[in-house]
Amino acid sequence: MKVLIFGGTSEGRELALCLAKNKISCEVCVATQYGSELLSDQDCLHIHQGRLTTAEMLYLLSNGFSAVIDATHPFALEVSDNISQALKQYNEAVHPGDVKKCLPLLRFDRQAATKAASPLCRLFTNAGECALALKSTSGKILLTTGSKNLSDFCADQDIRSRLVVRTLPSTESLELCINNGLQGNQILAMQGPFSKETNAALIRQYGISVLVTKESGTAGGYQEKLEASGECGIPAFVIKKPQNSSSQAEIYSNFSALFARLEEILSVKINFTPKLQLTLAGAGMGNPDTLTLAAKKAIAEADYIFGAERVLETVRNLATTTKIHPLYLAKDIIPILQEARSSTCSQEIRAVVLFSGDTGFYSGADAFYKEAEKLPATQVEIIPGISCVQYLCAKFHKNWQNYEFLSLHGVKKADWVNKLSDIVYNNRQIFFITSTFSDLQDLSEEISKLLQAKSADADISKAKIFLGFNLSYSDEKLSVISLQECSKISAPGLYCGIIEY
C-alpha cells in the first residue's frame, strides 16, 4: 500500500504529511532542492528530487503504487500532461483494456479565490500576452508570477528595467533572475503567501505602478494581491488559470473528498481532522492600543477572526487574513469553523473570537468556551484583556478590588434593582456598566430612592459618580458628577462608572 505524489505545492506537502501520519507510505516527487528542503524524509515518507521526463515517470510507476496524486501547481500544465501520459502508458501495458484494474490518478485542484471586482483588474490568457500589454504602461512593475516565465517579461529591455520580481528564496530561482538580466535591487527573494498588508507595503515602498500575478487560487495568496492593488489604486494584470486537459484524472478541491476516495482505493481509514486552535481574546476598550501583545499576535496569526463589528473595526489592520466575520455567538461561529475543517488543505486552523473588554468581566467568552469544549481536536486558549474596570479606575487613581460590580447591560431592571438594594444596604461602593444612557437615568433614580429609604435625612447631593464615556476612543470623556446631573444625561454612547456615597 503506497501512494505516489507529484508535489511542490503547499497542498502536496500537507497531503504527504497527513498520509505519513496515518502510516500510509508515500513517495513525493519535487522538482527542486528548495522543494525537498521544505519536506524531509521521515517514516512512511520519501522524497524524490529532480524533474522527471515521461519515461522516467513511467519507470517510477512500476514500484508498486496503489494510487497517484497530482498536486502540482495549477500552472504546471506540462508536468500534469507528462504525469497523465506516463500513467496512460503504464495502465495500457499492465492492464490492457481492463479499466477497473488501472492505477487511479487523483488531481488536487486548489480552491479558487474570490476575485475582487475592480475596473483596475485585467485578465490575460498567458504570460506573453501580459508582457505585451505591459509595454503600454509606465512606472515600476511588481512581478509575482515566480521565476518560470521570467523570459517572457525580460525579453523587452524597457519592461525588464522596470521590474521588481518577487520569487522564492531558492538557488534555482535566483539564478534564473540573474540569467534574465535582473539586478540585485530588482529581486525580492521571499516565501509566500503574503497578506494584503505585506503586498500593499511592498507596493508603496517600491513605488509600484502595476502588479502582475497569476490566478493562483486561495493558497497562492491571489485574493490578497488583488486587494492590495485595489487599496493602492494600481492595476492588477492577471494571467488566467489554465484548464487542466487530463481526462483520466479524478478532480478534487478539498482534502476531505480526496481522502474519502483514497480510503476506497486503499481500504484503510484515514484520520483527517484538522486541529482547531481557538483563541478567545479580550479586545480591550476599543482602541487597538489597549490590546495585549498576546492578543495582537493571535490576531496576526489567525486564519479566521470573529467579533462584533465595533471590535473588528479596531483590529482589521492587524489581521493577515481576509476571513473576518462580524459574529460573536457560538451558534453562528462554530458551523463556519466546521465547514472550514471539511474544506481546508491544512492540518491546523487558527481562529480568534474577540470580546470587548476582558474575557472574565461580563463577557460572552464563558458561554462560548462551554460550547467550544465539545468540539473534537480543539485546543481553546483564553487571552484576557483590559476591562473597563481597570481602565477607568486607573484614570481616576482608584483601587477596584473592594467594589461591588453591577451590570445593567442587557439585564432586566427588576434583577439589577434587587442587587443594587443589597449593595446600598451594606454601604458598598459600586462599579457599574450600562447598555445606554437611559440606564444612567434609571440608576441615579433608584440610588436616590434607596439612600432616602435607608436614612430619612440622607444627603444624596454628597453621592458622587466617576463617569467614563466611550473609554479609549478619541471622544473619551471623564467626569465627576452628582446623581441629579447623571439623571439628565441623554447623549448616546458607552458609559461605565463608580458610585461613591
Side-chain angles (χ1 to χ4, degrees):
M1 182 175 63
K2 189 162 56 171
V3 176
L4 176 61
I5 300 175
F6 290 93
T9 59
S10 58
E11 297 96 337
R13 293 192 292 274
E14 293 289 352
L15 278 168
L17 289 170
C18 186
L19 292 179
K21 187 177 179 180
N22 280 271
K23 306 300 181 185
I24 298 171
S25 294
C26 57
E27 186 161 341
V28 185
C29 295
V30 296
T32 65
Q33 180 181 349
Y34 183 73
S36 65
E37 290 172 354
L38 295 174
L39 190 66
S40 57
D41 279 358
Q42 54 184 277
D43 290 344
C44 297
L45 196 162
H46 176 66
I47 309 300
H48 186 287
Q49 179 190 323
R51 289 182 172 83
L52 301 175
T53 64
T54 302
E56 289 169 329
M57 290 179 182
L58 182 60
Y59 177 79
L60 186 61
L61 288 170
S62 64
N63 291 334
F65 295 102
S66 301
V68 178
I69 299 176
D70 178 5
T72 57
H73 195 278
F75 279 78
L77 289 186
E78 183 179 350
V79 180
S80 288
D81 286 342
N82 290 344
I83 295 169
S84 183
Q85 287 299 317
L87 198 63
K88 182 180 179 181
Q89 294 176 33
Y90 174 83
N91 285 328
E92 289 176 348
V94 178
H95 304 291
D98 193 345
V99 177
K100 292 183 179 179
K101 292 183 179 179
C102 287
L103 187 59
L105 173 60
L106 314 181
R107 165 70 183 169
F108 183 85
D109 193 13
R110 67 169 48 164
Q111 295 174 327
T114 303
K115 250 187 331 188
S118 169
L120 297 176
C121 183
R122 293 181 59 185
L123 300 178
F124 302 92
T125 56
N126 55 56
E129 183 181 308
C130 180
L132 185 62
L134 286 172
K135 290 184 177 181
S136 62
T137 67
S138 61
K140 289 187 177 180
I141 303 162
L142 178 59
L143 188 67
T144 66
T145 58
S147 57
K148 184 177 180 181
N149 300 112
L150 268 178
S151 58
D152 290 297
F153 297 97
C154 292
D156 184 276
Q157 183 176 354
D158 174 64
I159 293 177
R160 183 176 67 243
S161 67
R162 295 191 283 130
L163 290 177
V164 176
V165 177
R166 190 168 71 189
T167 188
L168 289 173
S170 66
T171 302
E172 182 181 22
S173 295
L174 293 174
E175 286 179 349
L176 282 170
C177 289
I178 299 300
N179 292 340
N180 277 280
L182 295 172
Q183 303 298 313
N185 61 357
Q186 293 180 276
I187 305 169
L188 304 177
M190 305 169 72
Q191 170 70 52
F194 303 96
S195 67
K196 180 192 75 172
E197 287 72 23
T198 300
N199 288 318
L202 289 175
I203 290 170
R204 295 185 180 107
Q205 181 176 347
Y206 287 90
I208 300 299
S209 298
V210 184
L211 180 143
V212 180
T213 180
K214 291 177 178 177
E215 192 179 20
S216 52
T218 302
Y222 171 61
Q223 184 168 318
E224 287 78 4
K225 294 178 191 178
L226 291 191
E227 290 178 349
S229 65
E231 180 181 293
C232 296
I234 66 170
F237 282 24
V238 179
I239 302 171
K240 292 190 294 185
K241 177 184 174 182
Q243 295 299 314
N244 194 302
S245 60
S246 175
S247 59
Q248 60 178 315
E250 302 173 30
I251 310 297
Y252 299 92
S253 60
N254 64 71
F255 281 11
S256 295
L258 178 59
F259 285 141
R261 177 65 176 120
L262 277 178
E263 288 179 342
E264 293 178 4
I265 296 169
L266 305 176
S267 297
V268 296
K269 177 65 179 175
I270 299 175
N271 180 23
F272 179 65
T273 303
K275 178 183 176 183
L276 174 59
Q277 178 65 50
L278 181 60
T279 301
L280 311 181
M285 296 295 88
N287 186 318
D289 289 343
T290 63
L291 275 168
T292 64
L293 291 176
K296 289 181 179 179
K297 182 174 183 291
I299 291 167
E301 295 176 350
D303 302 305
Y304 291 82
I305 300 174
F306 304 90
E309 185 60 50
R310 181 179 68 85
V311 176
L312 293 178
E313 288 175 2
T314 66
V315 303
R316 288 184 187 276
N317 65 327
L318 302 174
T320 58
T321 179
T322 58
K323 301 180 182 72
I324 302 176
H325 302 275
L327 304 168
Y328 52 88
L329 297 178
K331 68 180 182 64
D332 298 321
I333 294 173
I334 288 176
I336 293 176
L337 295 177
Q338 290 173 327
E339 172 61 26
R341 272 181 159 171
S342 67
S343 61
T344 187
C345 299
S346 176
Q347 297 190 59
E348 182 178 82
I349 296 173
R350 294 178 175 269
V352 174
V353 184
L354 295 166
F355 300 90
S356 61
D358 175 56
T359 51
F361 186 70
Y362 294 109
S363 174
D366 181 56
F368 201 109
Y369 179 80
K370 291 174 181 176
E371 294 300 317
E373 277 189 309
K374 303 173 186 177
L375 298 175
T378 299
Q379 181 177 344
V380 184
E381 179 186 13
I382 296 179
I383 298 177
I386 297 176
S387 70
C388 58
V389 180
Q390 298 159 286
Y391 187 95
L392 187 68
C393 287
K395 289 289 184 178
F396 283 116
H397 311 117
K398 300 282 187 181
N399 293 320
W400 54 269
Q401 65 264 26
N402 295 320
Y403 288 155
E404 290 281 356
F405 299 119
L406 181 68
S407 174
L408 284 68
H409 182 65
V411 180
K412 292 181 180 179
K413 184 174 179 179
D415 294 333
W416 65 257
V417 166
N418 287 334
K419 183 174 181 180
L420 178 64
S421 178
D422 291 337
I423 295 172
V424 173
Y425 179 79
N426 288 291
N427 295 316
R428 304 281 287 174
Q429 292 184 336
I430 306 167
F431 189 99
F432 66 88
I433 59 175
T434 67
S435 295
T436 180
F437 66 88
S438 61
D439 289 341
L440 291 174
Q441 298 170 354
D442 291 340
L443 181 61
S444 58
E445 179 183 348
E446 292 301 326
I447 289 183
S448 296
K449 290 179 182 178
L450 289 168
L451 289 175
Q452 290 174 339
K454 185 179 178 182
S455 175
D457 58 350
D459 186 358
I460 61 173
S461 65
K462 292 183 178 180
K464 292 181 180 179
I465 297 181
F466 297 82
L467 192 65
F469 170 81
N470 283 359
L471 296 182
S472 85
Y473 289 94
S474 58
D475 59 344
E476 171 186 287
K477 292 181 181 178
L478 302 172
S479 55
V480 182
I481 60 176
S482 66
L483 289 173
Q484 186 178 14
E485 291 170 321
C486 183
S487 67
K488 296 178 181 179
I489 290 176
S490 59
L494 300 171
Y495 293 92
C496 63
I498 301 163
I499 303 175
E500 294 181 355
Y501 46 86

